[in-house]
PDB file of all heavy atoms in Angstrom:
ATOM      1  N   GLN A 903       0.828  -1.198   0.000  1.00 97.00           N
ATOM      2  CA  GLN A 903       0.000   0.000   0.000  1.00 97.00           C
ATOM      3  C   GLN A 903       0.868   1.255   0.000  1.00 97.00           C
ATOM      4  O   GLN A 903       2.025   1.217   0.418  1.00 97.00           O
ATOM      5  CB  GLN A 903      -0.920   0.014   1.219  1.00 97.00           C
ATOM      6  CG  GLN A 903      -1.979  -1.069   1.214  1.00 97.00           C
ATOM      7  CD  GLN A 903      -2.903  -0.967   2.407  1.00 97.00           C
ATOM      8  OE1 GLN A 903      -2.523  -0.483   3.470  1.00 97.00           O
ATOM      9  NE2 GLN A 903      -4.133  -1.416   2.240  1.00 97.00           N
ATOM     10  N   PRO A 904       0.337   2.377  -0.479  1.00 98.00           N
ATOM     11  CA  PRO A 904       1.087   3.627  -0.389  1.00 98.00           C
ATOM     12  C   PRO A 904       1.527   3.901   1.049  1.00 98.00           C
ATOM     13  O   PRO A 904       0.753   3.712   1.991  1.00 98.00           O
ATOM     14  CB  PRO A 904       0.086   4.674  -0.877  1.00 98.00           C
ATOM     15  CG  PRO A 904      -0.820   3.917  -1.791  1.00 98.00           C
ATOM     16  CD  PRO A 904      -0.949   2.547  -1.176  1.00 98.00           C
ATOM     17  N   GLY A 905       2.776   4.340   1.203  1.00 98.00           N
ATOM     18  CA  GLY A 905       3.348   4.558   2.519  1.00 98.00           C
ATOM     19  C   GLY A 905       4.057   3.353   3.094  1.00 98.00           C
ATOM     20  O   GLY A 905       4.745   3.478   4.114  1.00 98.00           O
ATOM     21  N   GLY A 906       3.925   2.207   2.457  1.00 98.00           N
ATOM     22  CA  GLY A 906       4.563   0.995   2.921  1.00 98.00           C
ATOM     23  C   GLY A 906       6.018   0.911   2.515  1.00 98.00           C
ATOM     24  O   GLY A 906       6.564   1.820   1.882  1.00 98.00           O
ATOM     25  N   SER A 907       6.655  -0.213   2.875  1.00 98.00           N
ATOM     26  CA  SER A 907       8.079  -0.407   2.627  1.00 98.00           C
ATOM     27  C   SER A 907       8.350  -1.771   2.006  1.00 98.00           C
ATOM     28  O   SER A 907       7.612  -2.733   2.232  1.00 98.00           O
ATOM     29  CB  SER A 907       8.875  -0.289   3.929  1.00 98.00           C
ATOM     30  OG  SER A 907       8.744   0.994   4.515  1.00 98.00           O
ATOM     31  N   LEU A 908       9.425  -1.843   1.234  1.00 98.00           N
ATOM     32  CA  LEU A 908       9.930  -3.081   0.673  1.00 98.00           C
ATOM     33  C   LEU A 908      11.447  -3.028   0.668  1.00 98.00           C
ATOM     34  O   LEU A 908      12.032  -1.943   0.588  1.00 98.00           O
ATOM     35  CB  LEU A 908       9.445  -3.305  -0.759  1.00 98.00           C
ATOM     36  CG  LEU A 908       8.019  -3.798  -0.985  1.00 98.00           C
ATOM     37  CD1 LEU A 908       7.723  -3.822  -2.483  1.00 98.00           C
ATOM     38  CD2 LEU A 908       7.819  -5.179  -0.393  1.00 98.00           C
ATOM     39  N   ARG A 909      12.076  -4.202   0.730  1.00 98.00           N
ATOM     40  CA  ARG A 909      13.520  -4.300   0.631  1.00 98.00           C
ATOM     41  C   ARG A 909      13.869  -5.270  -0.486  1.00 98.00           C
ATOM     42  O   ARG A 909      13.558  -6.460  -0.406  1.00 98.00           O
ATOM     43  CB  ARG A 909      14.132  -4.786   1.941  1.00 98.00           C
ATOM     44  CG  ARG A 909      15.661  -4.704   1.965  1.00 98.00           C
ATOM     45  CD  ARG A 909      16.248  -5.467   3.131  1.00 98.00           C
ATOM     46  NE  ARG A 909      17.663  -5.205   3.323  1.00 98.00           N
ATOM     47  CZ  ARG A 909      18.486  -5.996   4.011  1.00 98.00           C
ATOM     48  NH1 ARG A 909      18.011  -7.093   4.595  1.00 98.00           N
ATOM     49  NH2 ARG A 909      19.769  -5.676   4.137  1.00 98.00           N
ATOM     50  N   LEU A 910      14.505  -4.766  -1.537  1.00 98.00           N
ATOM     51  CA  LEU A 910      14.928  -5.583  -2.658  1.00 98.00           C
ATOM     52  C   LEU A 910      16.351  -6.076  -2.442  1.00 98.00           C
ATOM     53  O   LEU A 910      17.188  -5.364  -1.893  1.00 98.00           O
ATOM     54  CB  LEU A 910      14.864  -4.793  -3.961  1.00 98.00           C
ATOM     55  CG  LEU A 910      13.526  -4.139  -4.319  1.00 98.00           C
ATOM     56  CD1 LEU A 910      13.628  -3.459  -5.675  1.00 98.00           C
ATOM     57  CD2 LEU A 910      12.398  -5.151  -4.300  1.00 98.00           C
ATOM     58  N   SER A 911      16.618  -7.305  -2.898  1.00 98.00           N
ATOM     59  CA  SER A 911      17.943  -7.893  -2.815  1.00 98.00           C
ATOM     60  C   SER A 911      18.376  -8.360  -4.197  1.00 98.00           C
ATOM     61  O   SER A 911      17.550  -8.787  -5.002  1.00 98.00           O
ATOM     62  CB  SER A 911      17.969  -9.082  -1.849  1.00 98.00           C
ATOM     63  OG  SER A 911      17.611  -8.695  -0.545  1.00 98.00           O
ATOM     64  N   CYS A 912      19.672  -8.298  -4.459  1.00 98.00           N
ATOM     65  CA  CYS A 912      20.241  -8.778  -5.709  1.00 98.00           C
ATOM     66  C   CYS A 912      21.561  -9.455  -5.387  1.00 98.00           C
ATOM     67  O   CYS A 912      22.520  -8.782  -4.987  1.00 98.00           O
ATOM     68  CB  CYS A 912      20.431  -7.629  -6.697  1.00 98.00           C
ATOM     69  SG  CYS A 912      21.248  -8.096  -8.238  1.00 98.00           S
ATOM     70  N   ALA A 913      21.612 -10.772  -5.554  1.00 97.00           N
ATOM     71  CA  ALA A 913      22.794 -11.560  -5.220  1.00 97.00           C
ATOM     72  C   ALA A 913      23.510 -12.012  -6.486  1.00 97.00           C
ATOM     73  O   ALA A 913      22.889 -12.568  -7.397  1.00 97.00           O
ATOM     74  CB  ALA A 913      22.406 -12.768  -4.378  1.00 97.00           C
ATOM     75  N   ALA A 914      24.812 -11.792  -6.541  1.00 97.00           N
ATOM     76  CA  ALA A 914      25.634 -12.205  -7.670  1.00 97.00           C
ATOM     77  C   ALA A 914      26.318 -13.533  -7.372  1.00 97.00           C
ATOM     78  O   ALA A 914      26.748 -13.784  -6.244  1.00 97.00           O
ATOM     79  CB  ALA A 914      26.684 -11.146  -7.990  1.00 97.00           C
ATOM     80  N   SER A 915      26.417 -14.388  -8.392  1.00 96.00           N
ATOM     81  CA  SER A 915      27.086 -15.673  -8.241  1.00 96.00           C
ATOM     82  C   SER A 915      27.923 -15.961  -9.483  1.00 96.00           C
ATOM     83  O   SER A 915      27.640 -15.455 -10.569  1.00 96.00           O
ATOM     84  CB  SER A 915      26.081 -16.800  -8.001  1.00 96.00           C
ATOM     85  OG  SER A 915      25.191 -16.936  -9.100  1.00 96.00           O
ATOM     86  N   GLY A 916      28.934 -16.804  -9.321  1.00 95.00           N
ATOM     87  CA  GLY A 916      29.827 -17.148 -10.408  1.00 95.00           C
ATOM     88  C   GLY A 916      31.275 -17.018  -9.981  1.00 95.00           C
ATOM     89  O   GLY A 916      31.585 -16.904  -8.799  1.00 95.00           O
ATOM     90  N   ARG A 917      32.155 -17.042 -10.972  1.00 94.00           N
ATOM     91  CA  ARG A 917      33.588 -16.919 -10.688  1.00 94.00           C
ATOM     92  C   ARG A 917      33.957 -15.440 -10.554  1.00 94.00           C
ATOM     93  O   ARG A 917      34.663 -14.876 -11.384  1.00 94.00           O
ATOM     94  CB  ARG A 917      34.395 -17.594 -11.786  1.00 94.00           C
ATOM     95  CG  ARG A 917      34.194 -19.110 -11.855  1.00 94.00           C
ATOM     96  CD  ARG A 917      35.077 -19.729 -12.916  1.00 94.00           C
ATOM     97  NE  ARG A 917      34.974 -21.182 -12.921  1.00 94.00           N
ATOM     98  CZ  ARG A 917      35.665 -21.975 -13.724  1.00 94.00           C
ATOM     99  NH1 ARG A 917      36.512 -21.456 -14.607  1.00 94.00           N
ATOM    100  NH2 ARG A 917      35.499 -23.285 -13.660  1.00 94.00           N
ATOM    101  N   ILE A 918      33.491 -14.834  -9.476  1.00 95.00           N
ATOM    102  CA  ILE A 918      33.652 -13.407  -9.250  1.00 95.00           C
ATOM    103  C   ILE A 918      34.965 -13.115  -8.541  1.00 95.00           C
ATOM    104  O   ILE A 918      35.278 -13.732  -7.520  1.00 95.00           O
ATOM    105  CB  ILE A 918      32.476 -12.858  -8.435  1.00 95.00           C
ATOM    106  CG1 ILE A 918      31.172 -13.041  -9.212  1.00 95.00           C
ATOM    107  CG2 ILE A 918      32.705 -11.396  -8.085  1.00 95.00           C
ATOM    108  CD1 ILE A 918      29.940 -12.739  -8.400  1.00 95.00           C
ATOM    109  N   PHE A 919      35.700 -12.149  -9.082  1.00 93.00           N
ATOM    110  CA  PHE A 919      36.915 -11.689  -8.430  1.00 93.00           C
ATOM    111  C   PHE A 919      36.626 -10.463  -7.579  1.00 93.00           C
ATOM    112  O   PHE A 919      37.023 -10.396  -6.418  1.00 93.00           O
ATOM    113  CB  PHE A 919      38.011 -11.401  -9.452  1.00 93.00           C
ATOM    114  CG  PHE A 919      39.308 -10.957  -8.829  1.00 93.00           C
ATOM    115  CD1 PHE A 919      40.137 -11.868  -8.208  1.00 93.00           C
ATOM    116  CD2 PHE A 919      39.697  -9.625  -8.858  1.00 93.00           C
ATOM    117  CE1 PHE A 919      41.332 -11.474  -7.629  1.00 93.00           C
ATOM    118  CE2 PHE A 919      40.890  -9.217  -8.282  1.00 93.00           C
ATOM    119  CZ  PHE A 919      41.712 -10.139  -7.665  1.00 93.00           C
ATOM    120  N   THR A 920      35.923  -9.485  -8.168  1.00 95.00           N
ATOM    121  CA  THR A 920      35.541  -8.309  -7.420  1.00 95.00           C
ATOM    122  C   THR A 920      34.356  -7.638  -8.117  1.00 95.00           C
ATOM    123  O   THR A 920      34.181  -7.766  -9.320  1.00 95.00           O
ATOM    124  CB  THR A 920      36.711  -7.319  -7.288  1.00 95.00           C
ATOM    125  OG1 THR A 920      36.374  -6.284  -6.365  1.00 95.00           O
ATOM    126  CG2 THR A 920      37.049  -6.705  -8.630  1.00 95.00           C
ATOM    127  N   ILE A 921      33.542  -6.939  -7.340  1.00 96.00           N
ATOM    128  CA  ILE A 921      32.401  -6.198  -7.860  1.00 96.00           C
ATOM    129  C   ILE A 921      32.653  -4.712  -7.663  1.00 96.00           C
ATOM    130  O   ILE A 921      32.918  -4.272  -6.540  1.00 96.00           O
ATOM    131  CB  ILE A 921      31.093  -6.608  -7.171  1.00 96.00           C
ATOM    132  CG1 ILE A 921      30.840  -8.107  -7.351  1.00 96.00           C
ATOM    133  CG2 ILE A 921      29.919  -5.799  -7.721  1.00 96.00           C
ATOM    134  CD1 ILE A 921      29.586  -8.610  -6.661  1.00 96.00           C
ATOM    135  N   TYR A 922      32.557  -3.954  -8.744  1.00 97.00           N
ATOM    136  CA  TYR A 922      32.768  -2.516  -8.673  1.00 97.00           C
ATOM    137  C   TYR A 922      31.438  -1.813  -8.414  1.00 97.00           C
ATOM    138  O   TYR A 922      30.787  -2.092  -7.411  1.00 97.00           O
ATOM    139  CB  TYR A 922      33.445  -2.032  -9.955  1.00 97.00           C
ATOM    140  CG  TYR A 922      34.810  -2.652 -10.176  1.00 97.00           C
ATOM    141  CD1 TYR A 922      35.012  -3.645 -11.132  1.00 97.00           C
ATOM    142  CD2 TYR A 922      35.901  -2.267  -9.403  1.00 97.00           C
ATOM    143  CE1 TYR A 922      36.264  -4.216 -11.325  1.00 97.00           C
ATOM    144  CE2 TYR A 922      37.153  -2.841  -9.589  1.00 97.00           C
ATOM    145  CZ  TYR A 922      37.327  -3.810 -10.550  1.00 97.00           C
ATOM    146  OH  TYR A 922      38.572  -4.377 -10.726  1.00 97.00           O
ATOM    147  N   ASP A 923      31.017  -0.921  -9.291  1.00 96.00           N
ATOM    148  CA  ASP A 923      29.768  -0.196  -9.072  1.00 96.00           C
ATOM    149  C   ASP A 923      28.559  -1.122  -9.182  1.00 96.00           C
ATOM    150  O   ASP A 923      28.530  -2.043  -9.996  1.00 96.00           O
ATOM    151  CB  ASP A 923      29.625   0.936 -10.085  1.00 96.00           C
ATOM    152  CG  ASP A 923      30.662   2.019  -9.896  1.00 96.00           C
ATOM    153  OD1 ASP A 923      31.427   1.956  -8.918  1.00 96.00           O
ATOM    154  OD2 ASP A 923      30.703   2.941 -10.732  1.00 96.00           O
ATOM    155  N   MET A 924      27.541  -0.860  -8.350  1.00 97.00           N
ATOM    156  CA  MET A 924      26.283  -1.581  -8.398  1.00 97.00           C
ATOM    157  C   MET A 924      25.149  -0.558  -8.452  1.00 97.00           C
ATOM    158  O   MET A 924      25.223   0.488  -7.801  1.00 97.00           O
ATOM    159  CB  MET A 924      26.117  -2.503  -7.184  1.00 97.00           C
ATOM    160  CG  MET A 924      27.286  -3.452  -6.978  1.00 97.00           C
ATOM    161  SD  MET A 924      27.031  -4.648  -5.643  1.00 97.00           S
ATOM    162  CE  MET A 924      25.985  -5.849  -6.483  1.00 97.00           C
ATOM    163  N   GLU A 925      24.108  -0.862  -9.225  1.00 98.00           N
ATOM    164  CA  GLU A 925      23.032   0.087  -9.471  1.00 98.00           C
ATOM    165  C   GLU A 925      21.675  -0.604  -9.471  1.00 98.00           C
ATOM    166  O   GLU A 925      21.561  -1.809  -9.703  1.00 98.00           O
ATOM    167  CB  GLU A 925      23.226   0.790 -10.823  1.00 98.00           C
ATOM    168  CG  GLU A 925      24.525   1.582 -10.926  1.00 98.00           C
ATOM    169  CD  GLU A 925      24.737   2.153 -12.308  1.00 98.00           C
ATOM    170  OE1 GLU A 925      24.430   1.446 -13.295  1.00 98.00           O
ATOM    171  OE2 GLU A 925      25.188   3.313 -12.402  1.00 98.00           O
ATOM    172  N   TRP A 926      20.635   0.192  -9.211  1.00 98.00           N
ATOM    173  CA  TRP A 926      19.255  -0.226  -9.372  1.00 98.00           C
ATOM    174  C   TRP A 926      18.585   0.658 -10.416  1.00 98.00           C
ATOM    175  O   TRP A 926      18.668   1.882 -10.338  1.00 98.00           O
ATOM    176  CB  TRP A 926      18.475  -0.145  -8.056  1.00 98.00           C
ATOM    177  CG  TRP A 926      18.798  -1.219  -7.081  1.00 98.00           C
ATOM    178  CD1 TRP A 926      19.665  -1.159  -6.035  1.00 98.00           C
ATOM    179  CD2 TRP A 926      18.236  -2.541  -7.060  1.00 98.00           C
ATOM    180  NE1 TRP A 926      19.689  -2.347  -5.357  1.00 98.00           N
ATOM    181  CE2 TRP A 926      18.821  -3.216  -5.957  1.00 98.00           C
ATOM    182  CE3 TRP A 926      17.303  -3.214  -7.846  1.00 98.00           C
ATOM    183  CZ2 TRP A 926      18.499  -4.537  -5.637  1.00 98.00           C
ATOM    184  CZ3 TRP A 926      16.991  -4.527  -7.524  1.00 98.00           C
ATOM    185  CH2 TRP A 926      17.583  -5.166  -6.438  1.00 98.00           C
ATOM    186  N   TYR A 927      17.918   0.029 -11.394  1.00 98.00           N
ATOM    187  CA  TYR A 927      17.104   0.696 -12.390  1.00 98.00           C
ATOM    188  C   TYR A 927      15.655   0.261 -12.209  1.00 98.00           C
ATOM    189  O   TYR A 927      15.362  -0.734 -11.548  1.00 98.00           O
ATOM    190  CB  TYR A 927      17.552   0.333 -13.806  1.00 98.00           C
ATOM    191  CG  TYR A 927      18.855   0.963 -14.259  1.00 98.00           C
ATOM    192  CD1 TYR A 927      20.075   0.475 -13.827  1.00 98.00           C
ATOM    193  CD2 TYR A 927      18.848   2.042 -15.144  1.00 98.00           C
ATOM    194  CE1 TYR A 927      21.269   1.041 -14.249  1.00 98.00           C
ATOM    195  CE2 TYR A 927      20.031   2.610 -15.579  1.00 98.00           C
ATOM    196  CZ  TYR A 927      21.236   2.104 -15.130  1.00 98.00           C
ATOM    197  OH  TYR A 927      22.420   2.665 -15.561  1.00 98.00           O
ATOM    198  N   ARG A 928      14.736   1.009 -12.815  1.00 98.00           N
ATOM    199  CA  ARG A 928      13.342   0.597 -12.848  1.00 98.00           C
ATOM    200  C   ARG A 928      12.711   1.006 -14.172  1.00 98.00           C
ATOM    201  O   ARG A 928      13.149   1.966 -14.807  1.00 98.00           O
ATOM    202  CB  ARG A 928      12.542   1.184 -11.680  1.00 98.00           C
ATOM    203  CG  ARG A 928      12.353   2.692 -11.724  1.00 98.00           C
ATOM    204  CD  ARG A 928      11.656   3.170 -10.461  1.00 98.00           C
ATOM    205  NE  ARG A 928      11.429   4.602 -10.464  1.00 98.00           N
ATOM    206  CZ  ARG A 928      10.955   5.286  -9.436  1.00 98.00           C
ATOM    207  NH1 ARG A 928      10.650   4.643  -8.295  1.00 98.00           N
ATOM    208  NH2 ARG A 928      10.772   6.592  -9.519  1.00 98.00           N
ATOM    209  N   GLN A 929      11.676   0.264 -14.570  1.00 98.00           N
ATOM    210  CA  GLN A 929      10.976   0.548 -15.808  1.00 98.00           C
ATOM    211  C   GLN A 929       9.487   0.300 -15.610  1.00 98.00           C
ATOM    212  O   GLN A 929       9.075  -0.818 -15.298  1.00 98.00           O
ATOM    213  CB  GLN A 929      11.508  -0.307 -16.955  1.00 98.00           C
ATOM    214  CG  GLN A 929      10.927   0.053 -18.313  1.00 98.00           C
ATOM    215  CD  GLN A 929      11.665  -0.606 -19.457  1.00 98.00           C
ATOM    216  OE1 GLN A 929      12.309  -1.638 -19.283  1.00 98.00           O
ATOM    217  NE2 GLN A 929      11.591  -0.005 -20.628  1.00 98.00           N
ATOM    218  N   ALA A 930       8.694   1.343 -15.781  1.00 96.00           N
ATOM    219  CA  ALA A 930       7.247   1.256 -15.693  1.00 96.00           C
ATOM    220  C   ALA A 930       6.667   1.048 -17.092  1.00 96.00           C
ATOM    221  O   ALA A 930       7.298   1.408 -18.089  1.00 96.00           O
ATOM    222  CB  ALA A 930       6.667   2.515 -15.063  1.00 96.00           C
ATOM    223  N   PRO A 931       5.455   0.474 -17.197  1.00 91.00           N
ATOM    224  CA  PRO A 931       4.845   0.271 -18.508  1.00 91.00           C
ATOM    225  C   PRO A 931       4.741   1.573 -19.292  1.00 91.00           C
ATOM    226  O   PRO A 931       4.285   2.591 -18.776  1.00 91.00           O
ATOM    227  CB  PRO A 931       3.454  -0.281 -18.169  1.00 91.00           C
ATOM    228  CG  PRO A 931       3.633  -0.939 -16.843  1.00 91.00           C
ATOM    229  CD  PRO A 931       4.625  -0.070 -16.111  1.00 91.00           C
ATOM    230  N   GLY A 932       5.187   1.542 -20.544  1.00 93.00           N
ATOM    231  CA  GLY A 932       5.115   2.707 -21.397  1.00 93.00           C
ATOM    232  C   GLY A 932       6.171   3.760 -21.141  1.00 93.00           C
ATOM    233  O   GLY A 932       6.139   4.815 -21.777  1.00 93.00           O
ATOM    234  N   LYS A 933       7.104   3.501 -20.239  1.00 95.00           N
ATOM    235  CA  LYS A 933       8.151   4.461 -19.914  1.00 95.00           C
ATOM    236  C   LYS A 933       9.529   3.846 -20.133  1.00 95.00           C
ATOM    237  O   LYS A 933       9.688   2.630 -20.172  1.00 95.00           O
ATOM    238  CB  LYS A 933       8.023   4.938 -18.467  1.00 95.00           C
ATOM    239  CG  LYS A 933       6.718   5.643 -18.145  1.00 95.00           C
ATOM    240  CD  LYS A 933       6.673   6.102 -16.709  1.00 95.00           C
ATOM    241  CE  LYS A 933       7.719   7.156 -16.427  1.00 95.00           C
ATOM    242  NZ  LYS A 933       7.637   7.665 -15.027  1.00 95.00           N
ATOM    243  N   GLN A 934      10.523   4.712 -20.282  1.00 96.00           N
ATOM    244  CA  GLN A 934      11.896   4.262 -20.450  1.00 96.00           C
ATOM    245  C   GLN A 934      12.486   3.804 -19.121  1.00 96.00           C
ATOM    246  O   GLN A 934      12.065   4.246 -18.048  1.00 96.00           O
ATOM    247  CB  GLN A 934      12.755   5.377 -21.048  1.00 96.00           C
ATOM    248  CG  GLN A 934      12.365   5.791 -22.455  1.00 96.00           C
ATOM    249  CD  GLN A 934      13.301   6.844 -23.017  1.00 96.00           C
ATOM    250  OE1 GLN A 934      14.164   7.372 -22.322  1.00 96.00           O
ATOM    251  NE2 GLN A 934      13.136   7.144 -24.289  1.00 96.00           N
ATOM    252  N   ARG A 935      13.468   2.922 -19.206  1.00 96.00           N
ATOM    253  CA  ARG A 935      14.167   2.481 -18.011  1.00 96.00           C
ATOM    254  C   ARG A 935      14.983   3.641 -17.447  1.00 96.00           C
ATOM    255  O   ARG A 935      15.660   4.357 -18.193  1.00 96.00           O
ATOM    256  CB  ARG A 935      15.076   1.297 -18.337  1.00 96.00           C
ATOM    257  CG  ARG A 935      15.742   0.671 -17.132  1.00 96.00           C
ATOM    258  CD  ARG A 935      16.474  -0.618 -17.499  1.00 96.00           C
ATOM    259  NE  ARG A 935      15.559  -1.617 -18.043  1.00 96.00           N
ATOM    260  CZ  ARG A 935      15.921  -2.861 -18.337  1.00 96.00           C
ATOM    261  NH1 ARG A 935      17.177  -3.264 -18.136  1.00 96.00           N
ATOM    262  NH2 ARG A 935      15.027  -3.710 -18.842  1.00 96.00           N
ATOM    263  N   GLU A 936      14.921   3.843 -16.123  1.00 97.00           N
ATOM    264  CA  GLU A 936      15.603   4.948 -15.494  1.00 97.00           C
ATOM    265  C   GLU A 936      16.459   4.469 -14.331  1.00 97.00           C
ATOM    266  O   GLU A 936      16.134   3.491 -13.661  1.00 97.00           O
ATOM    267  CB  GLU A 936      14.608   6.003 -14.995  1.00 97.00           C
ATOM    268  CG  GLU A 936      13.671   5.509 -13.907  1.00 97.00           C
ATOM    269  CD  GLU A 936      12.774   6.601 -13.356  1.00 97.00           C
ATOM    270  OE1 GLU A 936      13.039   7.787 -13.614  1.00 97.00           O
ATOM    271  OE2 GLU A 936      11.790   6.258 -12.656  1.00 97.00           O
ATOM    272  N   LEU A 937      17.548   5.191 -14.092  1.00 98.00           N
ATOM    273  CA  LEU A 937      18.438   4.891 -12.975  1.00 98.00           C
ATOM    274  C   LEU A 937      17.813   5.395 -11.680  1.00 98.00           C
ATOM    275  O   LEU A 937      17.444   6.568 -11.576  1.00 98.00           O
ATOM    276  CB  LEU A 937      19.801   5.531 -13.202  1.00 98.00           C
ATOM    277  CG  LEU A 937      20.838   5.354 -12.090  1.00 98.00           C
ATOM    278  CD1 LEU A 937      21.207   3.884 -11.921  1.00 98.00           C
ATOM    279  CD2 LEU A 937      22.083   6.182 -12.395  1.00 98.00           C
ATOM    280  N   VAL A 938      17.716   4.519 -10.680  1.00 98.00           N
ATOM    281  CA  VAL A 938      17.123   4.857  -9.393  1.00 98.00           C
ATOM    282  C   VAL A 938      18.187   5.205  -8.365  1.00 98.00           C
ATOM    283  O   VAL A 938      18.089   6.214  -7.664  1.00 98.00           O
ATOM    284  CB  VAL A 938      16.243   3.705  -8.871  1.00 98.00           C
ATOM    285  CG1 VAL A 938      15.702   4.022  -7.485  1.00 98.00           C
ATOM    286  CG2 VAL A 938      15.101   3.434  -9.838  1.00 98.00           C
ATOM    287  N   ALA A 939      19.205   4.353  -8.251  1.00 98.00           N
ATOM    288  CA  ALA A 939      20.248   4.551  -7.248  1.00 98.00           C
ATOM    289  C   ALA A 939      21.499   3.799  -7.661  1.00 98.00           C
ATOM    290  O   ALA A 939      21.433   2.801  -8.380  1.00 98.00           O
ATOM    291  CB  ALA A 939      19.782   4.074  -5.869  1.00 98.00           C
ATOM    292  N   SER A 940      22.645   4.273  -7.198  1.00 98.00           N
ATOM    293  CA  SER A 940      23.913   3.619  -7.481  1.00 98.00           C
ATOM    294  C   SER A 940      24.806   3.692  -6.254  1.00 98.00           C
ATOM    295  O   SER A 940      24.687   4.609  -5.431  1.00 98.00           O
ATOM    296  CB  SER A 940      24.611   4.246  -8.692  1.00 98.00           C
ATOM    297  OG  SER A 940      24.946   5.599  -8.441  1.00 98.00           O
ATOM    298  N   ILE A 941      25.713   2.728  -6.150  1.00 98.00           N
ATOM    299  CA  ILE A 941      26.693   2.718  -5.068  1.00 98.00           C
ATOM    300  C   ILE A 941      28.024   2.263  -5.652  1.00 98.00           C
ATOM    301  O   ILE A 941      28.108   1.250  -6.343  1.00 98.00           O
ATOM    302  CB  ILE A 941      26.238   1.823  -3.896  1.00 98.00           C
ATOM    303  CG1 ILE A 941      27.249   1.891  -2.748  1.00 98.00           C
ATOM    304  CG2 ILE A 941      25.991   0.386  -4.339  1.00 98.00           C
ATOM    305  CD1 ILE A 941      26.716   1.282  -1.455  1.00 98.00           C
ATOM    306  N   SER A 942      29.083   3.019  -5.393  1.00 95.00           N
ATOM    307  CA  SER A 942      30.392   2.727  -5.940  1.00 95.00           C
ATOM    308  C   SER A 942      31.140   1.744  -5.056  1.00 95.00           C
ATOM    309  O   SER A 942      30.720   1.424  -3.940  1.00 95.00           O
ATOM    310  CB  SER A 942      31.195   4.017  -6.090  1.00 95.00           C
ATOM    311  OG  SER A 942      31.558   4.526  -4.818  1.00 95.00           O
ATOM    312  N   SER A 943      32.269   1.264  -5.568  1.00 91.00           N
ATOM    313  CA  SER A 943      33.103   0.363  -4.779  1.00 91.00           C
ATOM    314  C   SER A 943      33.643   1.045  -3.531  1.00 91.00           C
ATOM    315  O   SER A 943      33.947   0.375  -2.543  1.00 91.00           O
ATOM    316  CB  SER A 943      34.256  -0.171  -5.627  1.00 91.00           C
ATOM    317  OG  SER A 943      35.057   0.892  -6.127  1.00 91.00           O
ATOM    318  N   GLY A 944      33.759   2.372  -3.568  1.00 89.00           N
ATOM    319  CA  GLY A 944      34.203   3.128  -2.415  1.00 89.00           C
ATOM    320  C   GLY A 944      33.102   3.492  -1.446  1.00 89.00           C
ATOM    321  O   GLY A 944      33.368   4.131  -0.419  1.00 89.00           O
ATOM    322  N   GLY A 945      31.854   3.123  -1.754  1.00 92.00           N
ATOM    323  CA  GLY A 945      30.732   3.373  -0.866  1.00 92.00           C
ATOM    324  C   GLY A 945      29.940   4.625  -1.164  1.00 92.00           C
ATOM    325  O   GLY A 945      28.940   4.891  -0.489  1.00 92.00           O
TER     326      GLY A 945
END
């Protein structure tokens, strides 16, 4: 409902050495995909 909360998770798997920048995008029907938030390797 409006005013509520959710927590999204995204887990990476594979032969990973290191992960640099990580980002969240979103796309609504009829709209272009947009950048929501990003976090760099430095935080």
Side-chain angles (χ1 to χ4, degrees):
Q903 293 183 332
S907 298
L908 282 175
R909 189 193 191 199
L910 305 183
S911 299
C912 176
S915 61
R917 295 183 175 182
I918 298 171
F919 182 76
T920 190
I921 302 178
Y922 298 106
D923 294 354
M924 307 185 79
E925 300 175 320
W926 286 97
Y927 287 77
R928 68 185 181 187
Q929 187 168 24
K933 299 181 65 177
Q934 295 183 353
R935 186 172 299 186
E936 64 175 346
L937 178 64
V938 176
S940 63
I941 183 167
S942 70
S943 59

